[in-house]
Amino acid sequence: MPVKWLMHWQPNQGVTLTTQILTEACQCVESQLGGAKDGRWKTALTYYRPALREASASGDLPRELLGVALHDQLGSYYFLLRAHRLILQADSSMQALMDKLQSYKPRVVLNFEGFQYRLGDFQVRVGKCVPSSEVLRGIMMEVEYLPLSSIEKSRQILEDFFDIWQDTVKKRSLPGHFILVEPNFADYGLQDHYTPQHTAVQYATCMTQLMAAVRN
Amino acid sequence: MECVVQGIIESQNNSHYMRHNNGVRLQHVEALQILLQGLCGVPKERVRVHELCLKSGPNLGVVPSEVRLLCDLAQPTPSWTVRHVGGAMRGAGAEQISVLVRTIVESKRGAQITVTVTSANKMPKLYATDEAVPVTPGIQLVEITAPAAAENYSEVVAAVSSFCEYLAPLLHLSKPGVSMGIVPTAAAAAASLMSNSGAKTL
């Protein structure tokens, strides 16, 4: 499967995030880069927490379980235990099973959604990160290089794309910039060949960075 | 949802019969296979499943829960299924039917009526599948399941019930937990099936 890089918007210190950034980013893709709009996309990330009978005694139970539903892998669901660096691919019916078990319950659901564009050998997705409260939490971008599945081999070309993208956005004088999500894939036992698990790890890592950005 | 019945069948040749039938081995399981072949003509598949039952710890979940992890070792690449068995239908209506109807959530899809004949084997230590020994030597469990939905379960119950009638010469089939033992005349029925089909001795 093609290599994908995730980026998110880092607003300048003290600046509130608005959908204006999203509109500007989409315009950059369409007008400046000549991207052809080619549909919508939606990925969801769920934070599961253990349903404890006694709140104080959690013992060695993982306190957080992440679930990821990727827009291009509708039959699968990915679970991550960040503290343990574990990732698991399951059938999408696992979500119904989790509902039945009632051992870990979904506490926060974040939806990543927006438009997708085709730009030659690249597929670009620009979108917003919204929790169920509908308050804008972040602006994301997925950049996919279709011809290659090797992370190392595609590194240079994706870096070049990122540089062009940064320059394009800079011309709009927006109060912030996009930054790359750079997870350590090897920590999760993932290889150079790109897989949906790599995408799930990028989303999980991105959330940590996004939450840190919102706090600051 | 699924509809399920279970029964037991003798799986070892009875040496008493061997002496009196000039070495003809009567395999009830083989007779069942002939019966099933005649009923539905579906080829049999090997079953080799490593099952792990996980129960929630004392502090986790408002109510205790249980989930089964099933690793299919019969396929070239082992595949895992996660299975949660829910509560069975209760009440006067449920009591009148001879099939158990229960909710099931699985991470894999099921097929039509499935007949599974298995022996349960216990491992001396975790994951030591090659050292497993039978829990009930000479007896195998026969399980018949069929997927169902809230809208159609009564039709599936009827289908499973009539299917069970065909297997009555060899098996007593009932709701799991309601044991009815082996059919006393199974040996004669098996012999009849084997000779009618011209089956060769093993």
Side-chain angles (χ1 to χ4, degrees):
Chain A
M1 93 177 274
V3 179
K4 196 185 284 197
W5 278 16
L6 223 67
M7 302 178 221
H8 68 93
W9 182 256
Q10 171 76 61
N12 287 342
Q13 190 97 8
V15 178
T16 322
L17 198 59
T18 65
T19 47
Q20 182 59 25
I21 311 286
L22 182 62
T23 317
E24 299 269 359
C26 289
Q27 277 176 6
C28 279
V29 177
E30 280 180 87
S31 325
Q32 262 77 69
L33 299 179
K37 197 183 275 190
D38 137 306
R40 290 177 160 273
W41 65 281
K42 182 171 165 173
T43 281
L45 193 144
T46 305
Y47 284 88
Y48 289 89
R49 298 266 144 75
L52 298 168
R53 282 174 227 169
E54 224 179 286
S56 50
S58 64
D60 48 359
L61 283 173
R63 270 181 236 130
E64 178 195 271
L65 174 67
L66 279 176
V68 185
L70 297 172
H71 61 85
D72 53 354
Q73 305 290 327
L74 295 173
S76 301
Y77 197 70
Y78 300 86
F79 285 107
L80 286 109
L81 280 174
R82 278 193 294 183
H84 302 73
R85 303 285 193 269
L86 288 173
I87 181 161
L88 174 80
Q89 177 180 342
D91 193 82
S92 49
S93 53
M94 266 306 285
Q95 289 174 275
L97 213 136
M98 292 296 287
D99 280 341
K100 288 278 178 189
L101 280 175
Q102 298 270 299
S103 53
Y104 274 75
K105 294 192 176 176
R107 294 291 180 219
V108 178
V109 181
L110 292 158
N111 289 310
F112 301 85
E113 57 198 44
F115 294 107
Q116 82 182 21
Y117 303 86
R118 188 61 190 264
L119 274 108
D121 286 336
F122 293 87
Q123 186 133 57
V124 174
R125 289 174 196 94
V126 188
K128 55 186 177 179
C129 170
V130 256
S132 2
S133 60
E134 300 284 334
V135 172
L136 184 68
R137 276 295 194 86
I139 308 267
M140 319 281 304
M141 259 185 80
E142 274 189 20
V143 181
E144 211 172 354
Y145 184 59
L146 302 170
L148 292 176
S149 323
S150 155
I151 296 172
E152 278 320 300
K153 292 200 177 85
S154 56
R155 186 176 290 280
Q156 188 59 61
I157 196 154
L158 280 161
E159 277 176 359
D160 291 345
F161 183 96
F162 187 60
D163 290 339
I164 295 170
W165 175 247
Q166 294 284 62
D167 288 341
T168 312
V169 172
K170 223 175 257 178
K171 296 196 176 93
R172 300 233 168 183
S173 308
L174 299 168
H177 58 282
F178 276 99
I179 53 177
L180 269 175
V181 171
E182 302 215 58
N184 190 332
F185 292 126
D187 268 359
Y188 284 85
L190 299 176
Q191 314 293 325
D192 179 65
H193 186 94
Y194 198 83
T195 64
Q197 280 90 327
H198 289 79
T199 310
V201 170
Q202 288 197 70
Y203 271 97
T205 311
C206 178
M207 278 326 297
T208 321
Q209 294 179 359
L210 258 180
M211 302 218 278
V214 167
R215 268 198 294 274
N216 299 338
Chain B
M1 287 174 97
E2 73 172 8
C3 292
V4 57
V5 286
Q6 285 181 345
I8 54 173
I9 192 164
E10 280 180 305
S11 59
Q12 225 151 244
N13 59 300
N14 188 328
S15 56
H16 174 80
Y17 276 102
M18 265 188 85
R19 281 199 294 278
H20 291 267
N21 289 284
N22 305 313
V24 168
R25 287 166 59 151
L26 295 173
Q27 290 270 357
H28 297 190
V29 175
E30 206 183 293
L32 177 62
Q33 188 190 327
I34 292 164
L35 182 54
L36 288 170
Q37 190 70 23
L39 281 172
C40 28
V42 178
K44 69 175 181 183
E45 285 167 16
R46 186 151 186 250
V47 171
R48 191 148 190 261
V49 175
H50 180 179
E51 182 171 324
L52 290 154
C53 179
L54 302 176
K55 288 186 203 260
S56 60
N59 196 21
L60 187 63
V62 173
V63 288
S65 61
E66 193 180 284
V67 75
R68 279 153 203 276
L69 302 182
L70 305 151
C71 185
D72 186 350
L73 301 170
Q75 307 303 319
T77 317
S79 65
W80 288 90
T81 298
V82 184
R83 190 177 157 91
H84 179 263
V85 178
M89 250 184 69
R90 280 194 238 273
E95 257 151 73
Q96 276 160 32
I97 54 181
S98 55
V99 176
L100 191 83
V101 185
R102 64 188 178 192
T103 53
I104 218 113
V105 183
E106 250 190 16
S107 67
K108 283 246 182 88
R109 269 223 195 127
Q112 296 304 308
I113 291 183
T114 306
V115 181
T116 321
V117 184
T118 49
S119 75
N121 302 284
K122 196 165 172 178
M123 297 170 288
K125 50 183 193 283
L126 200 57
Y127 306 124
T129 53
D130 293 332
E131 293 162 54
V133 287
V135 174
T136 54
I139 298 278
Q140 295 200 309
L141 178 74
V142 181
E143 189 172 74
I144 312 221
T145 58
E151 310 82 53
N152 77 350
Y153 77 85
S154 39
E155 285 139 33
V156 181
V157 166
V160 173
S161 298
S162 20
F163 188 73
C164 290
E165 278 170 37
Y166 286 109
L167 304 183
L170 287 174
L171 284 163
H172 279 314
L173 289 160
S174 54
K175 290 174 176 173
V178 177
S179 173
M180 291 167 75
I182 56 168
V183 174
T185 51
S192 161
L193 277 161
M194 305 282 274
S195 62
N196 284 352
S197 76
K200 300 263 190 292
T201 56
L202 290 168

